[in-house]
Amino acid sequence: MAKVHQFDVVVVGGGGAGLMAGLYASKTAKTAVISKMYPTRSHTGAAQGGIAAALGNSEGDNPAWHMYDTVKGSDYLGDQDAIEFMTSEAPQAVIELENMGLPFDRTPEGRISQRPFGGHTNNETGKPVRRAAHAADRTGHMILQTLYQQCLKNKVNFFDEYQVLDFIMVNGKAAGVVAVELSTGELHTIHAKAVIFATGGHGRIFEVTSNAYAYTGDGAAILFRKGIPLEDMEFFQFHPTGIYKLGILITEGVRGEGGVLINGKGERFMPKYAPTIKDLASRDVVSRAIYTEIKEGRGVDGKNYVYLDIRPETVNKFAAEDGRTNPDGSKFNLTAEQVLKKLPDIIDFCRVYLGVDPVTQMMPIQPTAHYTMGGIPTNKFGEVVIDDKNTVMPGLYAAGECACVSVHGGNRLGCNSLLDIVVFGKHAGLRAAEYVKTAEFEKLPENAESASRSEFDALRKGSGKENVFDLSNEMKKVMFAEVGIYRNEKDMQSALEKVRELKKRFKDVTVSDTGKIFNTELLNAWEFGNLLDIAEVVALSALNRKESRGGHSREDFPDRDDKNWLKHTLVWNKNGKLEIDYKPVVITKHQPKARVY
């Protein structure tokens, strides 16, 4: 029998969204946070460049501009009620983090410093605006540390190094989760009135990715197997600047500080693709531009990469050509000392992994799988909705990258991810805490952990004809090659068939490690099962959307088609078969029009 614990609210995931949800739920409810790793090791710590908010500390800005940029950046697939909610909450959210003790960088006057970021503009001039509040290039790390300290102060209960395996649903309501304690192999049932999933993304379905090894789509896969739909899974963002071959992220903050993209001929190429905003166009635009340069033979030495250049002499030359100035109107002049101060982690990454010093050398980069715009459908309060009519499932919430609000639509703007986790993590926690005041504990089914035990038993008793590592490599290669930056029907159909073949072969996997203490072989195999489920949904959703929009770019349907495809994709698991349907996009203030950068 599994050990049983009881809390009003249980949060699954200890990253930024989970900690924010746990913090705000714990103000009035007995709350636990379950994380498969120590919370401050969560992938939020990899977020570098900043958090978006129209503070207007350096120059004129307002939330209405931020809203429009986010709607435009989403390629008009974002729900505008949720976007307006997020962008209007943004300034207060950043100030709240500051009041918790987050050490933001400062202007000479002592205000929170802000830098330009891709797709964020002054709506009157069309030029980049300073909207990204930052703590050097380790903003996500600082958010994690700050929120974790606040959660400890607020006496949140932590179950560190517990992997959640199953969601318990009783009478159509959330009733808890089942988890395995990694250090003992014992199963635990956590009985709760409300459950908040904040388990992050699933970038590990791709071969080259900036995502942590822990990003295996656990929360989305668990709920999907319970009959809850997934939304807009075809929309995956490929960040323009990952370290060549490794995929480790080079923050957009490099371009925010003046960095430029250079092709194999030594040419700056982004003015050709985005004449107004140039290197600070939205990520989908920049990624496609890099891919086009490479495809047309202008990669470096004919290889699949271009350069990112932050050398002060190059930056200052192009800044003068662009008419860039400092906030006070004085001449823009980047120095080596400023590069070292503003981008210390990036400098270290490049020196360690590439043997390149960005102060004096150009960085080899290529697009890398970075962020999912899709996920578990929710409304703007983090409540999970289970159909095209936005029916709420009582007691179930989701926030962060595993959720689809949808504020990012077809493409996420840089710095809106940290904003997303803070705003919607907070409101999921608040809404869950409000719900449990009147909700009762549902009676747990007998042997609630039996399904999880059966999943582990199946992995231990497979025929052994297949190896998880080999299957995983096959999946990642086909997804990156055929459901990547550019897509077409033939390749995506091939990828979908391959993933379904891998799902059948996965039944012949066996785990040789019979131990219970930190059995990482068993857990990796279980996580791979989640990735296969997610990869199938991604491939099917992408195959069915016959247009190009945001991160979903089709060679056979190169144009955006608002008449037929201005709608959200929903995919259900019905007894192992996938069913697909759609629901309308919420449009309030901004009618769709062509995106021009």
Side-chain angles (χ1 to χ4, degrees), residues 114-425:
Q114 295 183 275
R115 59 166 61 117
F117 238 73
H120 294 277
T121 65
N122 177 316
N123 288 183
E124 293 173 355
T125 65
K127 292 185 177 180
V129 70
R130 291 171 173 84
R131 189 177 288 152
H134 52 89
D137 56 357
R138 48 177 80 103
T139 313
H141 175 78
M142 295 303 185
I143 288 176
L144 265 186
Q145 300 290 335
T146 301
L147 292 179
Y148 186 56
Q149 290 165 8
Q150 291 295 318
C151 284
L152 292 177
K153 177 183 173 184
N154 230 39
K155 296 184 168 48
V156 171
N157 298 273
F158 281 95
F159 289 73
D160 297 334
E161 297 183 328
Y162 282 67
Q163 170 70 64
V164 169
L165 304 173
D166 198 9
F167 168 64
I168 304 169
M169 185 167 55
V170 178
N171 299 323
K173 300 177 183 177
V177 296
V178 177
V180 60
E181 184 177 3
L182 304 189
S183 62
T184 65
E186 290 185 14
L187 293 179
H188 294 250
T189 298
I190 296 90
H191 193 194
K193 295 178 182 178
V195 178
I196 304 172
F197 277 86
T199 50
H202 50 261
R204 284 284 152 187
I205 64 173
F206 294 106
E207 183 179 26
V208 179
T209 177
S210 67
N211 285 190
Y213 281 95
Y215 251 34
T216 50
D218 302 343
I222 287 168
L223 294 184
F224 183 65
R225 291 193 287 267
K226 289 291 182 179
I228 290 161
L230 296 179
E231 180 177 350
D232 288 345
M233 294 292 279
E234 64 267 44
F235 293 104
F236 203 96
Q237 180 173 89
F238 290 80
H239 193 290
T241 55
I243 290 177
Y244 178 50
K245 290 186 177 179
L246 300 178
I248 296 169
L249 201 65
I250 300 293
T251 175
E252 201 166 308
V254 171
R255 285 174 284 134
E257 298 295 346
V260 294
L261 291 159
I262 305 291
N263 66 20
K265 293 187 171 183
E267 303 163 335
R268 182 191 186 191
F269 57 85
M270 277 313 299
K272 181 167 54 177
Y273 300 94
T276 302
I277 202 168
K278 302 182 177 72
D279 299 85
L280 286 171
S282 62
R283 289 175 175 176
D284 59 326
V285 172
V286 180
S287 288
R288 284 194 293 273
I290 293 171
Y291 186 89
T292 301
E293 291 293 304
I294 292 168
K295 189 176 174 185
E296 294 179 358
R298 294 186 292 278
V300 177
D301 296 329
K303 296 179 181 174
N304 294 333
Y305 70 91
V306 296
Y307 285 128
L308 176 59
D309 195 346
I310 190 66
R311 294 176 298 173
E313 62 272 22
T314 305
V315 169
N316 293 331
K317 172 192 166 191
F318 287 117
E321 289 181 11
D322 293 345
R324 177 170 180 168
T325 61
N326 292 317
D328 61 5
S330 60
K331 181 182 177 182
F332 181 86
N333 185 50
L334 185 70
T335 65
E337 291 73 21
Q338 287 172 327
V339 174
L340 291 167
K341 180 182 178 182
K342 293 181 176 183
L343 303 165
D345 278 4
I346 296 303
I347 305 299
D348 285 346
F349 290 160
C350 291
R351 287 173 174 170
V352 170
Y353 295 112
L354 294 172
V356 167
D357 184 347
V359 178
T360 59
Q361 297 169 282
M362 294 188 285
M363 297 168 268
I365 59 92
Q366 67 180 153
T368 179
H370 180 57
Y371 187 92
T372 177
M373 278 71 75
I376 304 160
T378 74
N379 61 25
K380 65 184 182 182
F381 300 113
E383 296 169 318
V384 172
V385 297
I386 57 174
D387 56 29
D388 58 349
K389 299 176 182 63
N390 293 323
T391 303
V392 169
M393 173 173 279
L396 181 59
Y397 307 82
E401 194 175 350
C402 74
C404 182
V405 183
S406 154
V407 287
H408 308 306
N411 170 65
R412 175 178 68 76
L413 292 188
C415 291
N416 271 354
S417 58
L418 290 181
L419 178 60
D420 175 343
I421 64 174
V422 170
V423 170
F424 296 110

Side-chain angles (χ1 to χ4, degrees), residues 455-464 507-511:
E455 287 180 6
F456 276 5
D457 287 345
L459 290 169
R460 290 189 176 105
K461 295 174 182 176
S463 69
K507 294 175 183 175
D508 285 317
V509 160
T510 191
V511 172

Side-chain angles (χ1 to χ4, degrees), residues 24-147:
Y24 278 87
S26 70
K27 293 178 186 289
T28 58
K30 186 181 178 186
T31 302
V33 172
I34 306 174
S35 176
K36 68 180 179 182
M37 62 186 64
Y38 194 71
T40 52
R41 290 186 58 236
S42 298
H43 194 51
T44 300
Q48 299 164 346
I51 176 170
L55 297 169
N57 283 353
S58 299
E59 57 186 309
D61 197 7
N62 64 68
W65 291 357
H66 189 183
M67 176 191 176
Y68 173 71
D69 288 338
T70 302
V71 171
K72 178 183 173 183
S74 78
D75 222 348
Y76 294 91
L77 197 77
D79 287 330
Q80 294 181 22
D81 57 339
I83 291 172
E84 184 168 20
F85 180 74
M86 179 182 76
T87 55
S88 63
E89 291 263 313
Q92 184 56 41
V94 169
I95 292 167
E96 212 166 345
L97 289 172
E98 180 190 38
N99 290 342
M100 290 181 194
L102 198 150
F104 285 110
D105 291 341
R106 300 284 166 177
T107 67
E109 300 77 33
R111 295 174 177 164
I112 295 172
S113 178
Q114 295 183 275
R115 59 166 61 117
F117 238 73
H120 294 277
T121 65
N122 177 316
N123 288 183
E124 293 173 355
T125 65
K127 292 185 177 180
V129 70
R130 291 171 173 84
R131 189 177 288 152
H134 52 89
D137 56 357
R138 48 177 80 103
T139 313
H141 175 78
M142 295 303 185
I143 288 176
L144 265 186
Q145 300 290 335
T146 301
L147 292 179

